[in-house]
Amino acid sequence: MRWALVKVCLAVTVMVVVAFAVPLGMVVQEMASDRAISNAERQAATMGPTLSITTDPVQLRKAVESTQMGAAGRMAVHVPAIGGTGPVDIGDGWAGAHVVAEVRGLGRATTAHVGGGDSVVLQPTALGSGDIAVIEILVPENEVSNGVTTAWLVLAGVGLALIIGSVAVADRLGARLVRPAERLADAAHQLGEGRLGARVPEEGPKELRSAAVAFNSMADQVVELLANERELAADLSHRLRTPLTVLRLNAASLGDGPAAEHTRAAVEQLEREVDTIIRTAREQRPVSQGFAGAAGGAGAGCDASEVIRDRMDFWSALAEDEGREVRLAGVDRVVRIPVARPELAAALDAMLGNVFRHTPEATPFAVDVHDAGDAVIVLVSDAGPGIADPDAALRRGNDGGRDGSTGLGLDIVRRVAESTGGDVRLGRSVLGGTEVRVWIALDDRARGGDRGAGGRRTRRKRRGD
């Protein structure tokens, strides 16, 4: 495309230069010839007064020699025979007697070409006797073409400069058009090879800028779709942890025997496979990718009290088997929150699963719901040994420090809260163990109406916490 544009511009410029330079050069040549002929006619006219006064050969010779053309040997005067005197010829003639006779008969100036490219201007002049004398002025070829060669060289130089300039401009313009297209193609190849960070600078002509914007938007959508897919895989895998926990606890109560050992081994193997799936998905998921769809969009939401009662019905049977005392508070009234029911259920299962996994049997725990007006606070507390490093527990992914844990459980909880503009805090509960406090914002101000540079909601600072 670049070279095609250069060739087109070169052809057009050459045609324009030829179309204008050649006629202009011919006009300059014609003007130089007319200038030389006009100058010769003026020189011939200077002899008119002398011929009107006298035809004496001596006087005429002196008059001819006093002129510029006569002194240069380029003037001749032909006077016809008058009365009893014969014809007078001053200077050498160039055109010949028959041409002089024709000019005398025509009575007007004539230009004749002689050998070597020279020209002769023949100017008829009336004498006092009524006869016609003819004055010859020799115009050399170099005078006719004086300045023409220079003019042609100037025109050629200007034309060449125009051609070079047009080619340079076309090359720069072609590069400006081609480079964005090349970058776009290169980025497309990189994206096809799996380098998801490939983006295109939004530069160049309007059309290519629009293509770059569309490509970058498409790449962002691809990254987001892949991240959501990996997140979904991780979340679905993690949700399997709840029934696996139940299976593991039930398998532990089977006692001894080959069947019980096989069951426990199968449960452990299944847990390892689920952990592997979660770790693989989390390692491939971009850390900066936000949680999509936690709030479920405008108008989506659920009754937190109803969801908590439903999940506690599931966990209460296991709690009864392990001798755990359970306390519920604040779930006797409707508490609407902007979180989809499946997401809140997954977050509750993650928190309650951690209680059963990381605290001894017979350890009591409690679930409380508080409506703070602009936010809903869900507290899950236990009387276990607590968490030594709360910040590490909230860190995304698994640092490999805890067997059987991927670190995704609290991450699910945190993303559910942050999707509304809230957050999650870990601390010491009134029961003496761990307290997980989930702050779910309700109003638009608390939900982070202001967005950061990346378009994600800014986290709301909790009051009184």
Side-chain angles (χ1 to χ4, degrees), residues 101-128:
E102 290 178 0
V103 172
R104 186 178 288 120
L106 292 173
R108 63 174 183 270
T110 302
T111 301
H113 295 283
V114 295
D118 297 338
S119 301
V120 174
V121 175
L122 295 98
Q123 178 72 45
T125 301
L127 301 175

mmCIF file of all heavy atoms in Angstrom, residues 101-128:
data_model
loop_
_atom_site.group_PDB
_atom_site.id
_atom_site.type_symbol
_atom_site.label_atom_id
_atom_site.label_comp_id
_atom_site.label_asym_id
_atom_site.label_seq_id
_atom_site.Cartn_x
_atom_site.Cartn_y
_atom_site.Cartn_z
ATOM 1 N N ALA A 101 14.180 42.519 -52.691
ATOM 2 C CA ALA A 101 13.199 43.001 -53.657
ATOM 3 C C ALA A 101 11.778 42.659 -53.212
ATOM 4 O O ALA A 101 10.845 43.467 -53.366
ATOM 5 C CB ALA A 101 13.506 42.395 -55.018
ATOM 6 N N GLU A 102 11.593 41.462 -52.658
ATOM 7 C CA GLU A 102 10.261 41.075 -52.172
ATOM 8 C C GLU A 102 9.799 41.976 -51.028
ATOM 9 O O GLU A 102 8.639 42.411 -50.984
ATOM 10 C CB GLU A 102 10.279 39.620 -51.711
ATOM 11 C CG GLU A 102 10.421 38.614 -52.854
ATOM 12 C CD GLU A 102 10.475 37.183 -52.351
ATOM 13 O OE1 GLU A 102 10.401 37.000 -51.093
ATOM 14 O OE2 GLU A 102 10.597 36.250 -53.163
ATOM 15 N N VAL A 103 10.695 42.259 -50.080
ATOM 16 C CA VAL A 103 10.338 43.124 -48.948
ATOM 17 C C VAL A 103 10.011 44.523 -49.430
ATOM 18 O O VAL A 103 9.058 45.162 -48.959
ATOM 19 C CB VAL A 103 11.481 43.147 -47.912
ATOM 20 C CG1 VAL A 103 11.211 44.187 -46.831
ATOM 21 C CG2 VAL A 103 11.671 41.772 -47.298
ATOM 22 N N ARG A 104 10.790 45.014 -50.434
ATOM 23 C CA ARG A 104 10.515 46.355 -50.984
ATOM 24 C C ARG A 104 9.149 46.371 -51.654
ATOM 25 O O ARG A 104 8.401 47.354 -51.568
ATOM 26 C CB ARG A 104 11.620 46.726 -51.972
ATOM 27 C CG ARG A 104 11.500 48.143 -52.489
ATOM 28 C CD ARG A 104 12.645 48.517 -53.431
ATOM 29 N NE ARG A 104 13.879 48.679 -52.687
ATOM 30 C CZ ARG A 104 14.980 47.971 -52.887
ATOM 31 N NH1 ARG A 104 14.978 46.991 -53.786
ATOM 32 N NH2 ARG A 104 16.071 48.207 -52.179
ATOM 33 N N GLY A 105 8.819 45.270 -52.306
ATOM 34 C CA GLY A 105 7.521 45.218 -52.946
ATOM 35 C C GLY A 105 6.368 45.080 -51.940
ATOM 36 O O GLY A 105 5.284 45.645 -52.128
ATOM 37 N N LEU A 106 6.577 44.305 -50.853
ATOM 38 C CA LEU A 106 5.529 44.122 -49.855
ATOM 39 C C LEU A 106 5.336 45.352 -48.977
ATOM 40 O O LEU A 106 4.230 45.663 -48.550
ATOM 41 C CB LEU A 106 5.857 42.913 -48.953
ATOM 42 C CG LEU A 106 5.815 41.528 -49.634
ATOM 43 C CD1 LEU A 106 6.311 40.435 -48.689
ATOM 44 C CD2 LEU A 106 4.391 41.206 -50.085
ATOM 45 N N GLY A 107 6.418 46.020 -48.673
ATOM 46 C CA GLY A 107 6.339 47.235 -47.866
ATOM 47 C C GLY A 107 6.161 46.978 -46.375
ATOM 48 O O GLY A 107 5.728 47.878 -45.648
ATOM 49 N N ARG A 108 6.489 45.804 -45.895
ATOM 50 C CA ARG A 108 6.392 45.534 -44.450
ATOM 51 C C ARG A 108 7.599 44.693 -44.020
ATOM 52 O O ARG A 108 8.236 44.030 -44.851
ATOM 53 C CB ARG A 108 5.114 44.802 -44.091
ATOM 54 C CG ARG A 108 4.955 43.420 -44.689
ATOM 55 C CD ARG A 108 3.714 42.716 -44.141
ATOM 56 N NE ARG A 108 3.587 41.357 -44.649
ATOM 57 C CZ ARG A 108 2.950 41.016 -45.741
ATOM 58 N NH1 ARG A 108 2.379 41.984 -46.500
ATOM 59 N NH2 ARG A 108 2.881 39.762 -46.130
ATOM 60 N N ALA A 109 7.874 44.744 -42.703
ATOM 61 C CA ALA A 109 9.052 44.070 -42.174
ATOM 62 C C ALA A 109 8.888 42.560 -42.288
ATOM 63 O O ALA A 109 7.791 42.018 -42.163
ATOM 64 C CB ALA A 109 9.272 44.457 -40.714
ATOM 65 N N THR A 110 10.013 41.906 -42.553
ATOM 66 C CA THR A 110 10.015 40.455 -42.730
ATOM 67 C C THR A 110 11.240 39.882 -42.046
ATOM 68 O O THR A 110 12.309 40.521 -42.023
ATOM 69 C CB THR A 110 10.024 40.088 -44.216
ATOM 70 O OG1 THR A 110 8.887 40.674 -44.849
ATOM 71 C CG2 THR A 110 9.978 38.581 -44.418
ATOM 72 N N THR A 111 11.068 38.673 -41.530
ATOM 73 C CA THR A 111 12.189 37.951 -40.918
ATOM 74 C C THR A 111 12.513 36.755 -41.781
ATOM 75 O O THR A 111 11.622 35.954 -42.097
ATOM 76 C CB THR A 111 11.849 37.496 -39.488
ATOM 77 O OG1 THR A 111 11.532 38.641 -38.695
ATOM 78 C CG2 THR A 111 13.005 36.755 -38.855
ATOM 79 N N ALA A 112 13.758 36.615 -42.147
ATOM 80 C CA ALA A 112 14.204 35.501 -42.986
ATOM 81 C C ALA A 112 15.299 34.742 -42.265
ATOM 82 O O ALA A 112 16.098 35.320 -41.516
ATOM 83 C CB ALA A 112 14.700 36.018 -44.326
ATOM 84 N N HIS A 113 15.293 33.439 -42.488
ATOM 85 C CA HIS A 113 16.307 32.592 -41.864
ATOM 86 C C HIS A 113 17.457 32.375 -42.828
ATOM 87 O O HIS A 113 17.255 32.126 -44.012
ATOM 88 C CB HIS A 113 15.709 31.242 -41.474
ATOM 89 C CG HIS A 113 14.646 31.342 -40.418
ATOM 90 N ND1 HIS A 113 14.910 31.527 -39.091
ATOM 91 C CD2 HIS A 113 13.285 31.290 -40.526
ATOM 92 C CE1 HIS A 113 13.785 31.571 -38.414
ATOM 93 N NE2 HIS A 113 12.771 31.431 -39.273
ATOM 94 N N VAL A 114 18.654 32.494 -42.303
ATOM 95 C CA VAL A 114 19.853 32.259 -43.101
ATOM 96 C C VAL A 114 20.603 31.073 -42.519
ATOM 97 O O VAL A 114 20.175 30.479 -41.528
ATOM 98 C CB VAL A 114 20.735 33.529 -43.127
ATOM 99 C CG1 VAL A 114 20.011 34.668 -43.849
ATOM 100 C CG2 VAL A 114 21.131 33.956 -41.725
ATOM 101 N N GLY A 115 21.693 30.701 -43.105
ATOM 102 C CA GLY A 115 22.422 29.524 -42.666
ATOM 103 C C GLY A 115 22.954 29.645 -41.250
ATOM 104 O O GLY A 115 23.179 30.723 -40.713
ATOM 105 N N GLY A 116 23.170 28.474 -40.613
ATOM 106 C CA GLY A 116 23.747 28.423 -39.269
ATOM 107 C C GLY A 116 22.766 28.726 -38.165
ATOM 108 O O GLY A 116 23.175 28.931 -37.020
ATOM 109 N N GLY A 117 21.464 28.817 -38.478
ATOM 110 C CA GLY A 117 20.476 29.091 -37.444
ATOM 111 C C GLY A 117 20.266 30.565 -37.183
ATOM 112 O O GLY A 117 19.452 30.925 -36.334
ATOM 113 N N ASP A 118 21.011 31.457 -37.909
ATOM 114 C CA ASP A 118 20.825 32.893 -37.733
ATOM 115 C C ASP A 118 19.579 33.361 -38.479
ATOM 116 O O ASP A 118 19.056 32.679 -39.365
ATOM 117 C CB ASP A 118 22.055 33.654 -38.236
ATOM 118 C CG ASP A 118 23.318 33.301 -37.440
ATOM 119 O OD1 ASP A 118 23.153 32.817 -36.281
ATOM 120 O OD2 ASP A 118 24.426 33.479 -37.955
ATOM 121 N N SER A 119 19.114 34.555 -38.102
ATOM 122 C CA SER A 119 17.949 35.164 -38.744
ATOM 123 C C SER A 119 18.289 36.582 -39.154
ATOM 124 O O SER A 119 19.203 37.209 -38.599
ATOM 125 C CB SER A 119 16.743 35.179 -37.793
ATOM 126 O OG SER A 119 16.403 33.866 -37.397
ATOM 127 N N VAL A 120 17.544 37.090 -40.142
ATOM 128 C CA VAL A 120 17.746 38.458 -40.638
ATOM 129 C C VAL A 120 16.399 39.173 -40.599
ATOM 130 O O VAL A 120 15.389 38.634 -41.078
ATOM 131 C CB VAL A 120 18.317 38.477 -42.060
ATOM 132 C CG1 VAL A 120 18.376 39.902 -42.596
ATOM 133 C CG2 VAL A 120 19.691 37.834 -42.084
ATOM 134 N N VAL A 121 16.380 40.374 -40.027
ATOM 135 C CA VAL A 121 15.185 41.213 -40.013
ATOM 136 C C VAL A 121 15.337 42.249 -41.127
ATOM 137 O O VAL A 121 16.316 43.000 -41.161
ATOM 138 C CB VAL A 121 15.014 41.901 -38.651
ATOM 139 C CG1 VAL A 121 13.824 42.858 -38.697
ATOM 140 C CG2 VAL A 121 14.819 40.858 -37.544
ATOM 141 N N LEU A 122 14.399 42.296 -42.065
ATOM 142 C CA LEU A 122 14.424 43.244 -43.181
ATOM 143 C C LEU A 122 13.315 44.273 -42.944
ATOM 144 O O LEU A 122 12.126 43.924 -42.900
ATOM 145 C CB LEU A 122 14.214 42.528 -44.517
ATOM 146 C CG LEU A 122 15.344 41.532 -44.907
ATOM 147 C CD1 LEU A 122 14.926 40.117 -44.525
ATOM 148 C CD2 LEU A 122 15.664 41.616 -46.394
ATOM 149 N N GLN A 123 13.753 45.527 -42.782
ATOM 150 C CA GLN A 123 12.831 46.606 -42.450
ATOM 151 C C GLN A 123 12.764 47.608 -43.612
ATOM 152 O O GLN A 123 13.745 48.264 -43.937
ATOM 153 C CB GLN A 123 13.325 47.336 -41.191
ATOM 154 C CG GLN A 123 12.469 48.522 -40.772
ATOM 155 C CD GLN A 123 11.137 48.073 -40.202
ATOM 156 O OE1 GLN A 123 11.079 47.158 -39.402
ATOM 157 N NE2 GLN A 123 10.059 48.697 -40.639
ATOM 158 N N PRO A 124 11.612 47.734 -44.316
ATOM 159 C CA PRO A 124 11.498 48.738 -45.393
ATOM 160 C C PRO A 124 11.344 50.148 -44.795
ATOM 161 O O PRO A 124 10.656 50.315 -43.788
ATOM 162 C CB PRO A 124 10.245 48.298 -46.139
ATOM 163 C CG PRO A 124 9.438 47.558 -45.127
ATOM 164 C CD PRO A 124 10.395 46.923 -44.186
ATOM 165 N N THR A 125 11.977 51.123 -45.409
ATOM 166 C CA THR A 125 11.922 52.512 -44.931
ATOM 167 C C THR A 125 11.708 53.428 -46.136
ATOM 168 O O THR A 125 12.408 53.309 -47.161
ATOM 169 C CB THR A 125 13.228 52.906 -44.217
ATOM 170 O OG1 THR A 125 13.433 52.012 -43.108
ATOM 171 C CG2 THR A 125 13.160 54.337 -43.711
ATOM 172 N N ALA A 126 10.765 54.341 -46.056
ATOM 173 C CA ALA A 126 10.446 55.260 -47.164
ATOM 174 C C ALA A 126 11.490 56.362 -47.260
ATOM 175 O O ALA A 126 11.938 56.914 -46.239
ATOM 176 C CB ALA A 126 9.064 55.863 -46.960
ATOM 177 N N LEU A 127 11.897 56.691 -48.476
ATOM 178 C CA LEU A 127 12.855 57.769 -48.726
ATOM 179 C C LEU A 127 12.106 59.056 -49.077
ATOM 180 O O LEU A 127 10.889 59.041 -49.344
ATOM 181 C CB LEU A 127 13.793 57.377 -49.859
ATOM 182 C CG LEU A 127 14.619 56.093 -49.639
ATOM 183 C CD1 LEU A 127 15.422 55.764 -50.885
ATOM 184 C CD2 LEU A 127 15.536 56.256 -48.432
ATOM 185 N N GLY A 128 12.851 60.149 -49.099
ATOM 186 C CA GLY A 128 12.230 61.430 -49.435
ATOM 187 C C GLY A 128 11.695 61.449 -50.857
ATOM 188 O O GLY A 128 10.729 62.165 -51.167
#
